[in-house]
Amino acid sequence: MSERKQFRAIKGTRDILPPDSGLWNWFEKTARDTFESYNFREIRLPIFEETSLFARSVGGETDIVSKEMYTFEDRAFGLEKPKRIGDVGDFITKVREAANSGQIPNDPSNRAEIETVEQLWRRFVSNDFELGSEEAGGLSPADQIHLMSRSAGDVRLGADISLRPEATASTMRAYIEHGMHALPGNVKLYYMGPMFRRERPQKGRYRQFYQIGAEVLGQSDAPAIDAEVIEMLMVFFQRVGLTRTTLYINSIGDKNCRPAYVELLRTELQKVKEQLGADSQRRIDTNPLRVLDSKIPNEQEIIAKLPRIADHLCDACKENYAGLKRELALRGIAYEENWRLVRGLDYYTRTTFEVIAEGLGSQNAVCGGGRYDGLVELLGGQPTKGIGFAIGSDRSILSIQESGNVPALPGLDVFVAWMGMDTYPTAVKIARTLREAGFDVELPGEEMKFKKLLNLADRLGARYALIIGSDEVASGTFTLKRLADADQKKLNESDLLETLTNERRGTRA
Ligand code: ATP
Ligand code: MG
């Protein structure tokens, strides 16, 4: 026998199995309920988008875009690379049409690739295969075919697309595409689902992970909007029992005051460059704000002495930040100011915030958020103000599990223990009735011995076994056995429903 390959989930991805999946569903449902109570509505977005959407919004210089995206070339419908020399002519016609109609990239580089194939093809069909002839460019027919096939291989037959590393960019794209600026009031959206980043997998850091996010888009940047978003976030965390958290806030200024601060920071960083590690040294040029984010022990003392953004905010940003703090106080939300809190993405302005949770080691950020007033415009929409956050579900749920604060989620209510084929029709019928009444019911599909039935009911964690034997069928009753204490009652159908319903009220209130 040949050895059979054991397939495993790809490193950085994982399966979420029951009963954890129940916890996940509850976590997500609580988010829906909470967000909807603040009048947010769900937006469901595609999992892949054009790569350039992320490059433009998240920023080409960020780690996310420059190193971590899963990017691939799509294939327009009906197009494929030529397999035989006889296919090349047809291939050229098709890709020309596809480029003209926008089905495949029509940028200069793709046009040049198509042009090259076409030139090689024309040369190939017109020359007489004379080895080394002038027309053949000194190439043998075999070399020409090789070159043609290589150039055809370089033609991009579809858009450059990426699995989403985050969902704010897609939300903005959708907002613009559907003209949502015309909707009344602020547009308040939430989303949830998987994100993809090619990072080094470790506890709390995966290549496929899940986020729940919310965004408010509109014409106002009133601090009340920021504060309400933060309130909603903290209310959600409280509802799911994620209470050992710290909320950090900061303002990173806007396009009027931040550039000068960034320059000042760069100048100051240049002076201490030699004492910094390679990453921070590089960031002095690419993104000095990110140096503040450094976790390297040796750099902490140096960073502590750097100029702080709060001392360099323009009046409008200062007032906006003070307003945010007033609004948070009004709502009784505890926070800590953290002048070193800068977000990893380029699009943020003014308010930034992060929530960290205890018990997660170094991957302890469970939510990141902030204001991104220029983003919609950057993506070609109307000038729009925006604020939002993204919660990391994986880490949040890990933290809930680690705190032991896991809620008791409803499990199997009733195991139908039928005995003898003559009782089977009754069992099928009552299982349906109980399920319709909202109970979780297990009905064995095969006849089993009584002992085996009760044993299975126990191992499945059922709260009740509903025993149906010939006696019960004859008298039109059921024996309901509570497995925790073996308490047993004989009931008719309506009493059975009433008993189970009352008990449920008691345990799930
Ligand atoms: P970190 O500093 O931990 O890498 P980040 O700044 O990259 O986080 P954001 O892009 O702001 O994170 O995403 C918001 C949240 O999503 C994070 O606070 C975190 O909880 C979660 N998150 C981000 N990347 C991952 C990942 N690879 N695996 C699991 N959760 C993640
Ligand atoms: Mg990250």
Side-chain angles (χ1 to χ4, degrees):
M1 277 252 308
S2 66
E3 217 178 290
R4 266 191 270 160
K5 182 176 156 76
Q6 269 288 322
F7 289 103
R8 295 186 165 277
I10 289 169
K11 212 167 163 10
T13 72
R14 62 205 182 117
D15 305 306
I16 294 159
L17 310 175
D20 286 359
S21 52
L23 189 63
W24 277 74
N25 286 338
W26 161 82
F27 183 83
E28 291 177 350
K29 179 171 188 308
T30 309
R32 289 178 192 286
D33 291 349
T34 308
F35 296 178
E36 291 186 8
S37 77
Y38 282 79
N39 197 28
F40 281 68
R41 295 294 173 251
E42 184 175 19
I43 180 164
R44 294 195 181 214
L45 298 156
I47 278 174
F48 51 84
E49 299 266 3
E50 271 183 63
T51 302
S52 52
L53 171 68
F54 301 117
R56 178 92 65 87
S57 63
V58 178
E61 292 305 309
T62 58
D63 284 356
I64 294 179
V65 169
S66 63
K67 311 199 275 235
E68 298 173 358
M69 283 211 296
Y70 285 94
T71 297
F72 52 99
E73 185 184 303
D74 202 0
R75 176 88 59 86
F77 191 73
L79 286 185
E80 55 183 315
K81 312 260 150 151
K83 291 199 184 65
R84 275 172 265 101
I85 189 69
D87 298 338
V88 176
D90 196 33
F91 172 76
I92 293 167
T93 316
K94 277 190 173 161
V95 292
R96 279 241 179 268
E97 272 169 21
N100 289 337
S101 68
Q103 272 187 56
I104 67 173
N106 196 14
D107 51 47
S109 86
N110 217 29
R111 280 205 301 271
E113 292 297 351
I114 300 171
E115 191 60 44
T116 308
V117 184
E118 191 162 7
Q119 272 172 17
L120 288 164
W121 172 245
R122 278 215 214 92
R123 205 186 271 174
F124 182 81
V125 292
S126 69
N127 79 51
D128 54 0
F129 300 116
E130 211 179 293
L131 280 186
S133 75
E134 187 90 347
E135 302 90 303
L139 293 171
S140 71
D143 283 346
Q144 289 182 56
I145 291 171
H146 177 70
L147 203 61
M148 208 156 22
S149 119
R150 229 183 44 198
S151 305
D154 287 343
V155 175
R156 281 173 288 143
L157 295 186
D160 201 13
I161 61 183
S162 292
L163 299 184
R164 61 183 188 190
E166 56 103 61
T168 299
S170 305
T171 310
M172 301 307 108
R173 196 256 318 127
Y175 177 85
I176 298 166
E177 184 171 340
H178 305 289
M180 293 171 85
H181 64 277
L183 295 172
N186 287 325
V187 176
K188 299 158 85 173
L189 301 167
Y190 75 88
Y191 59 82
M192 54 183 72
M195 308 294 157
F196 306 85
R197 296 181 194 175
R198 191 184 283 107
E199 301 198 70
R200 191 165 70 80
Q202 50 192 296
K203 188 183 167 197
R205 192 177 289 288
Y206 310 99
R207 292 185 157 191
Q208 174 173 340
F209 62 101
Y210 294 79
Q211 287 186 338
I212 301 179
E215 321 278 1
V216 182
L217 292 152
Q219 291 310 310
S220 166
D221 58 3
I225 298 173
D226 306 36
E228 187 181 66
V229 163
I230 294 173
E231 176 189 311
M232 177 171 91
L233 171 68
M234 298 315 283
V235 164
F236 167 66
F237 278 151
Q238 188 156 20
R239 285 197 195 169
V240 292
L242 204 66
T243 44
R244 294 185 310 158
T245 54
T246 310
L247 164 68
Y248 291 111
I249 64 165
N250 190 24
S251 172
I252 56 169
D254 64 6
K255 57 180 186 295
N256 298 316
C257 53
R258 192 168 38 176
Y261 170 71
V262 170
E263 270 325 302
L264 176 69
L265 197 59
R266 187 173 273 142
T267 311
E268 292 303 309
L269 282 167
Q270 285 295 356
K271 293 180 193 161
V272 293
K273 186 170 178 179
E274 297 313 313
Q275 300 161 54
L276 298 171
D279 276 344
S280 292
Q281 289 199 1
R282 191 167 36 80
R283 285 181 175 143
I284 298 179
D285 297 319
T286 58
N287 194 348
L289 278 178
R290 290 286 280 164
V291 177
L292 303 182
D293 208 20
S294 158
K295 310 273 185 320
I296 298 171
N298 296 341
E299 298 183 348
Q300 301 310 307
E301 210 178 309
I302 303 161
I303 293 171
K305 294 191 202 115
L306 291 169
R308 304 184 171 207
I309 180 94
D311 303 325
H312 299 273
L313 293 176
C314 59
D315 288 343
C317 285
K318 233 180 248 171
E319 175 43 35
N320 191 277
Y321 190 39
L324 170 67
K325 289 186 272 185
R326 274 197 307 273
E327 281 281 345
L328 288 175
L330 175 70
R331 291 154 201 263
I333 295 165
Y335 60 85
E336 278 180 36
E337 288 182 71
N338 178 359
W339 70 276
R340 285 175 54 178
L341 178 66
V342 293
R343 309 275 326 128
L345 317 184
D346 282 353
Y347 50 61
Y348 285 104
T349 53
R350 290 191 170 170
T351 305
T352 54
F353 56 97
E354 186 168 272
V355 178
I356 59 136
E358 271 176 43
L360 288 176
S362 51
Q363 319 306 327
N364 63 355
V366 288
C367 178
R371 189 160 267 293
Y372 46 79
D373 290 342
L375 186 55
V376 170
E377 218 175 336
L378 184 72
L379 295 175
Q382 318 267 339
T384 305
K385 307 258 162 54
I387 181 162
F389 62 73
I391 296 166
S393 301
D394 309 75
R395 289 183 201 172
S396 302
I397 290 171
L398 239 126
S399 175
I400 295 169
Q401 286 171 320
E402 241 144 77
S403 70
N405 232 349
V406 181
L409 296 171
L412 178 59
D413 296 306
V414 177
F415 182 94
V416 181
W418 58 275
M419 285 165 299
M421 284 316 294
D422 56 327
T423 68
Y424 185 59
T426 309
V428 169
K429 207 164 147 263
I430 194 68
R432 168 86 67 96
T433 305
L434 293 176
R435 285 167 174 159
E436 272 168 14
F439 296 101
D440 297 354
V441 176
E442 175 68 12
L443 172 71
E446 281 168 311
E447 198 170 0
M448 280 186 245
K449 294 247 157 54
F450 186 61
K451 232 180 121 180
K452 215 171 152 195
L453 282 168
L454 281 204
N455 188 280
L456 183 57
D458 210 40
R459 281 168 47 215
L460 290 176
R463 274 211 309 287
Y464 288 99
L466 188 68
I467 299 161
I468 313 175
S470 313
D471 288 356
E472 279 85 359
V473 173
S475 62
T477 56
F478 302 91
T479 299
L480 184 67
K481 177 174 178 149
R482 189 159 58 208
L483 293 173
D485 59 3
D487 176 63
Q488 206 161 297
K489 283 191 190 96
K490 247 192 158 101
L491 303 162
N492 65 24
E493 185 175 318
S494 74
D495 291 342
L496 171 68
L497 278 163
E498 200 184 313
T499 306
L500 288 172
T501 307
N502 287 341
E503 188 263 2
R504 177 166 58 188
R505 247 183 238 125
T507 56
R508 292 194 198 163

